[in-house]
Amino acid sequence: SIPFYAEVQLVLGDIQFARHNYQGAIERYDRALEYGFIDRTTEFRMRIKRGTSYYNMEDYPNAEKEIDRALKQNASSVEALLLMSAIKIKMEKYGDALRVLNRANAASPDNAEIQYQLGTVYYRQDDPRHIASFERLFAIAGARKENPAKYRKVFLILAKHHFDQRNFERADAILASFDENTH
């Protein structure tokens, strides 16, 4: 591969990213940014992948910088906002995470992952608003046959809350959404 051939570096970066070789992906994307005349859409995608790579390498300050650059290009990107909130959560900047998540929620109120992250931040802060977010998540994703394990954990927290409040019908309705093995 020719180091100053930006399009090849971009393809090689994508290959490294797909293989979860995040350091290799960052190096290739660096070369593509350095040598290429890249359009804004391609640069945005590269910034998201670089931020994701840094996030997966647990280099949260660099991940934050990359996603901030991506958000300067597209301030309403739900993908970028979700990644930024995840970074803020890992850095334990919960107030910043909530601000980012509220922006994301305004852009996409029916996004299950946004509701999950909102509820999680509230839950970590022992804020009762976590119940409303978890209820919203259940309304969005509760009827799906396949949900991530993290959603099922939230649904159990929600069912326990309703059980403790002696709202047995609601607790039963939530638990009925689980498959038989989980039940």
Side-chain angles (χ1 to χ4, degrees):
S1 66
I2 303 169
F4 53 84
Y5 190 16
E7 289 78 12
V8 170
Q9 295 300 325
L10 181 60
V11 170
L12 292 172
D14 287 345
I15 291 168
Q16 295 302 319
F17 185 83
R19 291 181 176 168
H20 305 285
N21 178 0
Y22 299 115
Q23 185 61 47
I26 290 168
E27 291 168 7
R28 297 301 182 162
Y29 292 139
D30 282 346
R31 288 184 189 150
L33 287 168
E34 181 179 354
Y35 297 116
F37 294 101
I38 297 170
D39 63 78
R40 289 180 56 79
T41 303
T42 303
E43 183 181 348
F44 175 79
R45 296 298 326 144
M46 260 197 301
R47 296 283 180 201
I48 294 290
K49 288 180 179 179
R50 284 171 52 92
T52 302
S53 296
Y54 281 122
Y55 178 83
N56 286 319
M57 293 168 37
E58 298 180 6
D59 183 349
Y60 304 122
N62 278 323
E64 184 178 31
K65 288 176 191 172
E66 285 300 321
I67 300 306
D68 189 48
R69 289 178 184 152
L71 285 168
K72 285 180 181 167
Q73 289 183 287
N74 184 353
S76 62
S77 166
V78 172
E79 179 183 14
L81 289 167
L82 276 170
L83 186 51
M84 181 61 88
S85 69
I87 293 164
K88 299 287 188 185
I89 291 167
K90 288 289 188 178
M91 296 172 79
E92 296 182 358
K93 296 180 179 179
Y94 298 123
D96 291 345
L98 286 173
R99 281 188 283 286
V100 171
L101 285 166
N102 285 324
R103 282 177 50 198
N105 196 34
S108 181
D110 291 332
N111 185 305
E113 191 61 25
I114 294 169
Q115 298 307 316
Y116 171 78
Q117 283 193 21
L118 271 170
T120 300
V121 172
Y122 289 137
Y123 185 79
R124 286 183 181 190
Q125 295 180 317
D126 203 25
D127 185 325
R129 290 181 285 182
H130 73 277
I131 295 299
S133 294
F134 290 167
E135 283 285 2
R136 183 80 181 116
L137 174 61
F138 186 76
I140 294 167
R144 294 183 194 158
K145 289 186 183 238
E146 301 268 336
N147 272 315
K150 63 185 182 179
Y151 289 6
R152 289 191 300 271
K153 184 176 179 181
V154 163
F155 298 158
L156 285 173
I157 291 169
L158 187 59
K160 182 183 180 322
H161 166 78
H162 285 294
F163 183 84
D164 291 345
Q165 297 296 312
R166 306 189 63 76
N167 187 354
F168 302 121
E169 284 184 40
R170 182 67 179 145
D172 186 49
I174 293 166
L175 292 173
S177 70
F178 286 90
D179 62 24
E180 211 165 294
N181 291 338
T182 308
H183 218 14

